Amino acid sequence: MPLPKKVRIVEVGPRDGLQNEPQPISAAVKIELIERLADAGIRYIEAGSFVNPQWVPQMAGSDEVFRGIVPRPGVSYAALTPNLKGFERALAAGANEVAIFAAASETFSQKNINCSIDASLDRFAPVMAAASAASLPVRGYISCVAGCPYEGAVSADKVRQVAERLLQMGCYEISLGDTIGVGTPADIRRVIEAATQSVPIEQLAVHLHDTYGQALANIYASLEMGVAVVDSAIAGLGGCPYAKGASGNVATEDLVYMLNGLGIEHGVDLDKLLAAGRYITEQLGRESGSKVARALAQP
Amino acid sequence: MPLPKKVRIVEVGPRDGLQNEPQPISAAVKIELIERLADAGIRYIEAGSFVNPQWVPQMAGSDEVFRGIVPRPGVSYAALTPNLKGFERALAAGANEVAIFAAASETFSQKNINCSIDASLDRFAPVMAAASAASLPVRGYISCVAGCPYEGAVSADKVRQVAERLLQMGCYEISLGDTIGVGTPADIRRVIEAATQSVPIEQLAVHLHDTYGQALANIYASLEMGVAVVDSAIAGLGGCPYAKGASGNVATEDLVYMLNGLGIEHGVDLDKLLAAGRYITEQLGRESGSKVARALAQP
């Protein structure tokens, strides 16, 4: 199958990335990062999450972040919303898209959100209804599609079942997440093949962490299967590259570099993206998780 | 094209890797690393280089390294030999295979070995004759196949021409090197397509640096084209992951992890390989360049 001519990049750094960084980050810094990402041409930014701050203190300031963004036409500013209360906060704060999430592993679902996969999906019904009433598009995430930290192997058919359910609930797109980055291209192909039995390839995205260095190879394999939406995080935010079980997202800079080489359109300016990455890594006082950023770093 | 059932891993850490590490490494440490790599199941180890020590001080002890190895049946201990004098030293020290090298970029050839590509190949004629007389197999390397630090883009047909010449000179295998790691899967596919016009795919290997994080994606694309020999370096040795233009080889651990996931045989024990990587990174006092090694590091 020929590679897609165009890929939509879903930037998850401000949420999935910063949520997993050890130190707190001010709303002002998050807003500046989001503006820089939009300046670079990113058209989809996961800007925050309206979960209980007791669970995710890093996201406590999401109201302030959304209220501080100067919205640009054509840019989606998405919020992760675990329940109706979170959805209402996101809507009030100005999110123009929301995301819901489920696991492909029962044990992960229990440990992560304290209920079964089915129960977690049922819990999202009011969110879907409210989003529909407010005409807000809803994206669905599935975690652990290539493996679970508790169960190990995860059935591709289980991924398909959850994807089908999210589609039926009204999600316009389903992002397949290798949350712990254990998958190789063979796993990702298997998962995408299974998912496409229930969800059109045009409605599938991949969300691949680079814990084992496999993310770009997995993305390349996904592109070969026709996936044209890829999640990534500026500077590979989301996990210290040196800690055990480092779980950083694939770096947006490295993804853009590969897409440029493959001649695939994406609309992002790599130089501006690199500058946004330097900004946030300086604020965090950490090395960039992007090899492209390191290779092109100013001496 | 189906992926190969079996891949031969060419471990270049003790030579291409350590040669590019800043601090000197004793012959004893190199010998211990080589023995550990052989213990892990590696059957091809580039153990040293017999170039002028003034150019490459890190390789000054190669005689001692080769003399210190306890050779195992079925294991190739290769030496890089720039000229007849180097070949004779390698032979005397006990190398059972040698390698010659040329660039696909005229400027790189001039700056790196101070002569044209043609002149560099002519210079190897006596080495080929002596290797033939001693019944030693000769491997050929081509550098800068996906880009040159001085010229930028490199013509795939130039790569094909150099590969053809190395084959005609008697090399049994030609390793296509993305020396500065700038290539993406599109570049690597183009180069392999061109090379296979003159060299059977069975006689081609890939040698891909991970400077821009593209190496595993490029290896996956190479496997899809039928390449079944891959060069890599334990712990991604060969370039500090933090310095500008970091130029580490792809990490053998990360390659093995991907091959395991793809169900491709390689004969290497990942746990023993990880232990060999811990040994050399402790000796060097540096972080491993392998994400698999970092993810699985003991707390």
Side-chain angles (χ1 to χ4, degrees), chain A residues 161-259:
Chain A
Q161 291 170 36
V162 177
E164 182 174 58
R165 183 85 188 274
L166 288 167
L167 186 70
Q168 289 165 345
M169 289 170 66
C171 293
Y172 75 94
E173 182 170 278
I174 289 118
S175 178
L176 304 170
D178 182 6
T179 312
I180 55 174
V182 294
T184 66
D187 303 299
I188 301 308
R189 293 185 69 92
R190 191 163 49 242
V191 168
I192 292 170
E193 276 162 18
T196 48
Q197 289 165 30
S198 298
V199 180
I201 190 79
E202 299 73 21
Q203 289 176 268
L204 289 175
V206 289
H207 180 108
L208 304 169
H209 285 218
D210 200 39
T211 318
Y212 292 78
Q214 310 293 307
L216 275 187
N218 292 344
I219 289 169
Y220 182 66
S222 305
L223 296 173
E224 289 186 311
M225 298 189 74
V227 172
V229 183
V230 181
D231 300 5
S232 63
I234 185 75
L237 295 179
C240 170
Y242 319 127
K244 182 177 194 312
S247 57
N249 285 269
V250 65
T252 307
E253 300 93 317
D254 298 0
L255 169 62
V256 164
Y257 183 94
M258 184 172 80
L259 294 175

Side-chain angles (χ1 to χ4, degrees), chain A residues 210 235-237 241 249 251 254 281 286-291 293-294, chain B residues 291:
Chain A
D210 200 39
L237 295 179
N249 285 269
D254 298 0
T281 49
R286 61 162 277 184
E287 276 286 345
S288 176
S290 160
K291 286 206 166 191
R294 285 190 220 141
Chain B
K291 286 206 164 188

Side-chain angles (χ1 to χ4, degrees), chain B residues 32-51:
Chain B
E32 175 67 16
L33 172 62
I34 290 162
E35 297 294 359
R36 286 170 177 254
L37 290 166
D39 282 337
I42 299 280
R43 289 296 166 259
Y44 188 111
I45 303 170
E46 195 179 64
S49 145
F50 292 89
V51 300

Side-chain angles (χ1 to χ4, degrees), chain A residues 181-187 189 210-214 216-217 220-221 224 241-246 254 257-258 261-262 287 289 291-292 294-299, chain B residues 181-187 189 210-214 216-217 220-221 224 241-246 254 257-258 261-262 287 289 291-292 294-299:
Chain A
V182 294
T184 66
D187 303 299
R189 293 185 69 92
D210 200 39
T211 318
Y212 292 78
Q214 310 293 307
L216 275 187
Y220 182 66
E224 289 186 311
Y242 319 127
K244 182 177 194 312
D254 298 0
Y257 183 94
M258 184 172 80
L262 296 175
E287 276 286 345
K291 286 206 166 191
V292 169
R294 285 190 220 141
L296 299 177
Q298 305 307 320
Chain B
V182 294
T184 66
D187 301 300
R189 292 186 69 92
D210 200 38
T211 319
Y212 291 79
Q214 310 293 307
L216 276 187
Y220 182 66
E224 289 187 310
Y242 319 127
K244 182 179 195 308
D254 299 0
Y257 183 94
M258 183 171 80
L262 296 175
E287 277 286 345
K291 286 206 164 188
V292 169
R294 285 190 219 140
L296 299 177
Q298 306 307 319

Side-chain angles (χ1 to χ4, degrees), chain B residues 2 7 43 62 80 99 116 134 162 182 186 199 202 211 223 239 251 264 290 292:
Chain B
V7 158
R43 289 296 166 259
S62 289
L80 200 69
S116 72
V162 177
V182 294
V199 179
E202 299 72 22
T211 319
L223 296 172
I264 295 174
S290 160
V292 169

